Amino acid sequence: MKGGKSKADTRKTDSRLKSKDAGVGKRQSKKAAKDPNKPKRPASAFFVFMEEFRKIYAKEHPNNKAVSAVGKAGGEKWKSMSESEKAPFVAKAEKRKTEYNKNMQAYNKKLAGGGNGADDEESDKSKSEVNDEEEEDESGEVFLQDPQGRCHLHKQKTT
């Protein structure tokens, strides 16, 4: 019979397809997993401007649902603005950037300190300041306070 496949041919084809599909979806990504506790990068001055511009544009054009139209209109307006008009947005962006840098320093200290990130409350005191807080008892015992605010009893060696 011309054009027809035998059972042996179809089995070979099926086995090849199975071997090709076996690797699909099982690739290991080479990227490291993102840490959900890592602070997000701050918005640039343009994106700070766009936050406000979107609200204004939505009021003026209530029927427009296209994201691209809002982006194009915002970009054109940003280009036409003078430096003095952009100044408040640049100032807000700088403020967010300094806040981000402060959060990143705290985050990096937490990583370097071997913290597991379980405690969400940040102490205003550094670890060295916290470890310096000692309360000495009459019996020669010292209470040390750890970064989470818990007190630990340490006995002084008498010499």
Side-chain angles (χ1 to χ4, degrees), residues 17-86:
L17 287 174
K18 286 180 185 176
S19 65
K20 284 184 181 179
D21 290 340
V24 174
K26 294 187 178 184
R27 288 186 189 171
Q28 299 258 341
S29 66
K30 294 180 183 179
K31 284 186 176 180
K34 290 186 179 180
D35 186 0
N37 297 326
K38 186 175 181 181
K40 290 187 176 183
R41 294 186 68 188
S44 67
F46 173 70
F47 283 101
V48 173
F49 161 75
M50 284 301 292
E51 289 173 1
E52 292 182 20
F53 181 79
R54 282 186 197 99
K55 295 173 190 171
I56 295 168
Y57 191 84
K59 287 178 184 174
E60 291 175 359
H61 304 88
N63 296 332
N64 187 6
K65 303 290 183 193
V67 176
S68 60
V70 178
K72 286 179 184 177
E76 289 173 9
K77 173 115 186 208
W78 180 257
K79 286 179 185 177
S80 67
M81 290 171 68
S82 67
E83 292 299 317
S84 61
E85 292 173 320
K86 293 179 183 180

Side-chain angles (χ1 to χ4, degrees), residues 126-135 144-145:
S126 67
K127 290 182 180 180
S128 61
E129 289 175 340
V130 170
N131 289 339
D132 290 343
E133 292 181 10
E134 297 178 354
E135 299 173 12
L144 294 176
Q145 190 173 7

Side-chain angles (χ1 to χ4, degrees), residues 68-112:
S68 60
V70 178
K72 286 179 184 177
E76 289 173 9
K77 173 115 186 208
W78 180 257
K79 286 179 185 177
S80 67
M81 290 171 68
S82 67
E83 292 299 317
S84 61
E85 292 173 320
K86 293 179 183 180
F89 304 108
V90 173
K92 285 181 186 178
E94 286 296 321
K95 184 178 177 184
R96 289 183 185 185
K97 188 174 183 180
T98 55
E99 187 176 319
Y100 166 77
N101 288 335
K102 188 168 64 172
N103 290 341
M104 276 303 292
Q105 286 178 348
Y107 173 77
N108 289 333
K109 282 181 184 178
K110 189 183 280 188
L111 283 182

